[in-house]
Amino acid sequence: KDFASDESFRLIKSWLDNCVYHHSGCNSPIIAQLPTRLLDVGIRGSRQDPKLFTPPFGYKDRYVSLSYCWGESGANYVLRKSQLDIPNLVFDSATLPQTIRDAVEITRRLGFRFLWIDALCIIQEGDGGEDFRRESATMHEVYGNASITFAAAASRSVHGGIFQKPKYTEPPECKIPFKLSDAANGSVFVEFEDVEKGVDRIVEPLNTRAWTFQERILSPRVVLFYKDQISWDCKSKLINSNGPLNSILERSEDTPGRYTEFIASNDPSLSEVARNSKYMAYWRRSIEFYTRRNLTHQTDILKAISGLAQLIHSKTMDVYCAGMWLSDIYPHLFWYSGWVHRKSNTTIAPSWSWASNSGTIKFFFTKEYYHPSAPKTDWETTEQVEIDLQSTSDPFGDVREARLTMRGYLRVWDHSFKIKDEPLRTKLGVMFDDPHQPEEKLFLGSKNEDAAFHFFFPLPLQKYNTGAGKAWDGESLRLALVLRRCDGRKGLYRRVGLYNAGWHDEARMKEYMMPEKGTVTLVTII
């Protein structure tokens, strides 16, 4: 049916009311401090053009936010610094793109007055990016304080609109009578669909954009407008009006889920370290989902997730290190690029951070790294982390340079190993971070001082939680960072790849790569 119909809005309103009044796990207030700027769309039934509203400091009220794809022409409909000189700035509804017009209509019909849209509430042109840098550091508050967020999941651009009109070529296969709570008679229709249809929803346009990832997670309540159904997502429930996104998994797989699903905050048996470890596991899982998405500007890779980083920091008070966390640095280090390989760029983030690689990221440690039976000293091996930020006002934003100093076993690569006609990963267990760089050719080339590679096994060795419900074991997994010395920078290394003994069955290589044959030393990686 038409998602703009009264029936659809009654459904959305029922979800919202049920969440506000009956979900004990959804304790986010409806009334909160307003962001720096909003659109005032008027009261229900109003036809006024939306106008820019700058609330006094500390002003509290209800507001909603929009999550959408800009598209290629989205930058034509933005707030410019020069417009702030216009008193009572009004945006002509007739000239606004369809998605924004639909958002204004939804806001009014649900009884809200204030709407936050990034393009029109953050200065996008004319101030050298100053307002954007300041406001992007508050995204955890903007989306976190919104009463509800509307997500235009099916629209590829700001012109696509929010309301979709699903087309059912065949009538529903099954109709079941249903007695409503007010004793009226209703019907439930059952439709059978194949897996591909569910997968199509997971890769809807909004779910392919990196900036919208944290908007979904930070928002306490989200209504998603897919191409063929409306969905509700809050801390307590995920409701899909036509059934689960994926009919096999029976759950949504377009996000890592709510962090509240990972954290048993009311479990008195959990120590602070154990609880923080759950947050860290959620962060690593989030990065895996986040890096599946696309960025127009790769330089935004840390900015576009800084809101979620601030949320994790508020829960753990941990030290943020260029996309990683100091208390969890060991399991964070063992990342590798997944099925989509793109160029690395160490001018964006240090080589040891996943953020230096623009491919899809996977972590070896997907579960909590901490285990109660592990000695605490086993994960306190980081000697020093130095972070030089682009802006001191945003510790979760861009990084100018960062150095990581750790203790571990260091081994120089022996170039005498020769392989033929097999990938390095399957033959020697080595995967390079950037296939576009010449490291692999140099790695297999003749030994020379300038191209020396090193394997670094950070301490502790082989200490990890398998996530299989077993006791702390430390068996079988042997991982090392592949390093190269930095040209002209004595004593500094950069990461270029990862070694995993489980990736190969070369006995001679396994024997050579016994970490204890190396030298325990301090290594600084940039």
Side-chain angles (χ1 to χ4, degrees):
K1 293 186 176 181
D2 186 352
F3 291 166
S5 67
D6 290 339
E7 182 181 4
S8 294
F9 273 87
R10 282 195 297 269
L11 178 62
I12 295 171
K13 188 67 165 61
S14 70
W15 286 339
L16 177 60
D17 290 344
N18 194 42
C19 177
V20 172
Y21 297 114
H22 301 293
H23 289 177
S24 59
C26 295
N27 52 8
S28 300
I30 286 290
I31 296 177
Q33 181 168 321
L34 297 183
T36 305
R37 305 178 194 91
L38 300 108
L39 296 183
D40 181 351
V41 303
I43 60 176
R44 188 198 303 265
S46 171
R47 292 185 175 276
Q48 73 172 48
D49 289 328
K51 60 183 179 181
L52 193 66
F53 173 62
T54 303
F57 179 77
Y59 189 92
K60 293 185 177 182
D61 206 329
R62 305 185 310 157
Y63 73 95
V64 299
S65 56
L66 175 66
S67 179
Y68 67 108
C69 295
W70 280 35
E72 294 183 2
S73 61
N76 296 327
Y77 304 92
V78 297
L79 180 65
R80 296 171 174 82
K81 185 179 180 180
S82 58
Q83 291 176 291
L84 295 184
D85 297 330
I86 303 173
N88 300 316
L89 176 63
V90 175
F91 298 96
D92 183 1
S93 296
T95 64
L96 290 175
Q98 189 62 51
T99 297
I100 295 180
R101 293 206 301 269
D102 287 349
V104 169
E105 180 181 346
I106 296 171
T107 303
R108 290 173 179 159
R109 290 178 68 176
L110 288 180
F112 292 89
R113 180 170 182 173
F114 298 114
L115 167 64
W116 190 89
I117 300 177
D118 57 357
L120 299 179
C121 297
I122 299 176
I123 299 173
Q124 305 287 345
E125 291 183 11
D127 70 336
E130 180 182 346
D131 193 60
F132 176 82
R133 285 190 292 270
R134 181 171 54 251
E135 292 297 311
S136 62
T138 67
M139 290 302 97
H140 65 298
E141 297 174 344
V142 170
Y143 285 98
N145 289 336
S147 300
I148 189 172
T149 295
F150 312 128
S155 298
R156 295 188 178 278
S157 78
V158 72
H159 298 285
I162 297 177
F163 301 129
Q164 304 296 313
K165 294 182 179 179
K167 296 180 181 179
Y168 297 102
T169 56
E170 298 179 3
E173 298 182 36
C174 182
K175 179 180 179 180
I176 304 173
F178 184 75
K179 185 72 71 176
L180 301 176
S181 58
D182 59 359
N185 293 319
S187 299
V188 174
F189 294 91
V190 178
E191 181 185 17
F192 299 92
E193 63 180 28
D194 55 27
V195 177
E196 285 73 18
K197 191 171 183 180
V199 172
D200 286 346
R201 295 194 194 106
I202 293 172
V203 294
E204 296 246 36
L206 193 71
N207 293 335
T208 67
R209 304 305 304 167
W211 272 101
T212 64
F213 175 80
Q214 67 174 3
E215 297 169 5
R216 169 82 175 270
I217 294 176
L218 294 173
S219 301
R221 305 171 189 90
V222 185
V223 174
L224 298 107
F225 292 82
Y226 292 105
K227 62 184 177 183
D228 61 352
Q229 73 170 339
I230 305 174
S231 294
W232 171 271
D233 187 5
C234 67
K235 294 178 182 178
S236 300
K237 280 191 176 182
L238 173 64
I239 305 172
N240 296 305
S241 59
N242 289 350
L245 296 192
N246 190 306
S247 55
I248 288 182
L249 296 176
E250 297 184 352
R251 58 193 173 94
S252 171
E253 276 293 327
D254 56 356
T255 75
R258 295 285 184 182
Y259 70 87
T260 49
E261 297 172 7
F262 280 65
I263 317 302
S265 56
N266 297 322
D267 185 350
S269 66
L270 280 180
S271 67
E272 181 180 350
V273 174
R275 184 174 289 108
N276 284 359
S277 185
K278 288 182 176 291
Y279 279 110
M280 295 299 106
Y282 178 74
W283 174 262
R284 294 194 301 274
R285 178 172 167 82
S286 295
I287 296 306
E288 292 187 351
F289 275 82
Y290 172 65
T291 55
R292 296 177 190 177
R293 301 186 175 210
N294 301 315
L295 280 165
T296 302
H297 305 290
Q298 195 58 35
T299 52
D300 290 342
I301 193 166
L302 289 175
K303 288 195 288 284
I305 202 170
S306 63
L308 180 56
Q310 290 178 74
L311 174 65
I312 297 296
H313 173 72
S314 71
K315 302 295 183 182
T316 64
M317 300 310 295
D318 206 344
V319 178
Y320 191 59
C321 308
M324 298 154 76
W325 298 94
L326 185 58
S327 72
D328 201 54
I329 202 75
Y330 185 93
H332 270 77
L333 284 174
F334 297 116
W335 56 266
Y336 60 99
S337 188
W339 62 87
V340 178
H341 293 275
R342 307 186 188 102
K343 276 193 172 185
S344 293
N345 191 339
T346 53
T347 63
I348 298 174
S351 67
W352 43 267
S353 170
W354 60 267
S356 66
N357 190 289
S358 58
T360 55
I361 298 299
K362 302 288 288 183
F363 289 95
F364 278 99
F365 300 101
T366 56
K367 304 293 184 181
E368 300 94 280
Y369 177 62
Y370 165 81
H371 192 280
S373 63
K376 188 174 182 182
T377 54
D378 276 354
W379 63 84
E380 291 185 345
T381 60
T382 304
E383 299 289 332
Q384 189 176 19
V385 179
E386 299 177 25
I387 306 291
D388 183 10
L389 297 165
Q390 290 280 11
S391 172
T392 55
S393 63
D394 182 14
F396 305 97
D398 294 337
V399 174
R400 184 177 290 111
E401 184 176 87
R403 298 187 181 198
L404 172 66
T405 302
M406 295 187 75
R407 188 178 300 276
Y409 289 95
L410 190 67
R411 292 219 64 189
V412 179
W413 165 238
D414 182 354
H415 286 256
S416 65
F417 282 87
K418 300 295 182 183
I419 63 172
K420 293 182 179 180
D421 304 325
E422 287 191 59
L424 271 175
R425 173 171 172 166
T426 56
K427 187 62 178 176
L428 297 181
V430 175
M431 177 186 284
F432 286 102
D433 297 335
D434 188 350
H436 302 277
Q437 294 297 320
E439 262 80 21
E440 182 169 334
K441 184 176 181 181
L442 293 171
F443 186 81
L444 297 174
S446 60
K447 183 177 181 179
N448 77 67
E449 197 68 19
D450 294 331
F453 290 85
H454 296 74
F455 291 88
F456 179 61
F457 296 85
L459 291 172
L461 298 177
Q462 301 179 343
K463 299 287 187 180
Y464 74 107
N465 180 359
T466 62
K470 300 179 181 178
W472 184 268
D473 45 33
E475 59 186 23
S476 73
L477 191 61
R478 196 186 308 158
L479 300 169
L481 304 182
V482 183
L483 307 179
R484 283 191 68 187
R485 283 194 300 269
C486 295
D487 296 337
R489 306 184 71 174
K490 188 176 180 180
L492 298 181
Y493 297 83
R494 63 181 176 90
R495 170 183 161 147
V496 294
L498 190 70
Y499 166 78
N500 174 22
W503 277 340
H504 71 96
D505 56 6
E506 173 62 53
R508 193 163 61 103
M509 182 68 171
K510 287 182 183 288
E511 175 66 21
Y512 174 77
M513 290 299 291
M514 292 296 291
E516 293 81 356
K517 293 186 177 182
T519 304
V520 176
T521 185
L522 283 176
V523 170
T524 298
I525 313 169
I526 62 173

